[in-house]
Amino acid sequence: MKFYAQLNENNICIGISQLSGEVIKDNMIEIQSFDNDKLWRKYENKAWSTEKFEPQSTAPISEFEQLKAEQQELSDTVAEILLGV
Amino acid sequence: MGIGYLTGQGGGGSNIKSFQTGAAVITNLNTLDIAISAIDTSKSVIRIWVKPAGSNNTDYEAIMAKITSSTQINLSRKTAYAGVNYIQWEVIEFNNVKSKQSGDLTVPFGTAGTFQTTAISSVDVNKSLIFGSFKAIAGDTGIASALNIFKISSATEVSISKAGQSYSAHWQVIEFK
């Protein structure tokens, strides 16, 4: 059994694998165990950073939130009409 | 709070050594350990079905399932939530296993139809199965991000589809003799 940390293009660990045999890939670094703590650490000069580079959200407002906002706006408009504001 | 229970073990077809299943309820938690009867983790996989809590938010609804030891599984999600997720889990221990490989993989934001890949030791794709689950790690884009693909894309590669937001996937490939 072999354990590997997979690096992305910035040398940040994005995966830990437990494989049945050896793989030879530039972005697969053999490690001693299934160590999830290596996730999002940077691998430089054969050492792991102390800092973690966790992915940041790029999420736009979800369709649900958008619809919710539009519904609220409509409700406000109807209320204004009914109240003659 | 969560509840898990075993509903069966043993028996099964010639290729199934043991089968355990249970229902778990997760509310106001982001992680839940469940005890199981002892299995050989090198010959076992876990799979789940999730009934969402109705939030349209993958932070709460996307559940990752892992075999964490021979006597324990873990269910986790990004964020605890007051709504109730109902999870049906199954731990299947096989006979005739040639190899089992598994891993955790961060799948970055990407457009539909693109995949994050990871290398595996060579398997016979005609005798191998893949199982997977995932949880959000970087914010929600709605339940559509919970519809993902896990596939053995070649004898030496697993591919997991990208979605509207980054997530963490747990994959398992089991190869039979």
Side-chain angles (χ1 to χ4, degrees), chain A residues 1 6 13-23 25 28 34 36 39-40 54-60 62 64, chain B residues 55-56 66 99-106 109 116-121 137-142 164-166 171:
Chain A
M1 194 63 69
Q6 179 173 341
C13 176
I14 60 164
I16 304 292
S17 299
Q18 176 176 309
L19 305 183
S20 58
E22 184 180 47
V23 294
K25 293 268 185 184
M28 300 286 279
F34 197 97
N36 257 324
L39 273 175
W40 306 326
E54 191 167 347
Q56 298 299 307
S57 174
T58 55
S62 70
F64 173 76
Chain B
S55 70
N56 192 36
K66 298 173 78 167
S99 70
K100 183 205 166 185
Q101 305 181 68
S102 61
D104 292 338
L105 185 65
T106 299
F109 164 83
Q116 175 67 49
T117 62
T118 188
I120 59 172
S121 192
I137 53 174
D140 164 62
T141 54
Q165 190 50 269
S166 303
W171 58 268

Side-chain angles (χ1 to χ4, degrees), chain A:
Chain A
M1 194 63 69
K2 298 270 190 181
F3 301 96
Y4 291 90
Q6 179 173 341
L7 306 181
N8 69 6
E9 65 277 11
N10 298 312
N11 289 329
I12 292 167
C13 176
I14 60 164
I16 304 292
S17 299
Q18 176 176 309
L19 305 183
S20 58
E22 184 180 47
V23 294
I24 300 173
K25 293 268 185 184
D26 289 342
N27 66 337
M28 300 286 279
I29 308 300
E30 188 169 356
I31 55 180
Q32 295 303 307
S33 63
F34 197 97
D35 180 9
N36 257 324
D37 188 57
K38 288 193 167 48
L39 273 175
W40 306 326
R41 295 190 190 280
K42 194 167 189 174
Y43 188 70
E44 282 183 310
N45 302 319
K46 298 188 176 182
W48 295 97
S49 67
T50 52
E51 186 180 358
K52 286 193 171 186
F53 301 88
E54 191 167 347
Q56 298 299 307
S57 174
T58 55
I61 295 175
S62 70
E63 186 179 2
F64 173 76
E65 292 297 332
Q66 197 169 344
L67 288 170
K68 195 173 160 187
E70 287 172 6
Q71 187 183 5
Q72 184 61 51
E73 194 176 337
L74 274 172
S75 297
D76 292 346
T77 304
V78 169
E80 285 173 9
I81 291 169
L82 290 175
L83 294 170
V85 178

Side-chain angles (χ1 to χ4, degrees), chain B residues 89-102:
Chain B
W89 56 265
E90 294 178 352
V91 174
I92 309 159
E93 183 182 25
F94 292 101
N95 291 313
N96 302 316
V97 173
K98 183 179 180 187
S99 70
K100 183 205 166 185
Q101 305 181 68
S102 61

Side-chain angles (χ1 to χ4, degrees), chain B residues 6-19:
Chain B
L6 304 183
T7 57
Q9 184 182 13
S14 62
N15 207 30
I16 295 179
K17 182 179 179 186
S18 71
F19 177 78

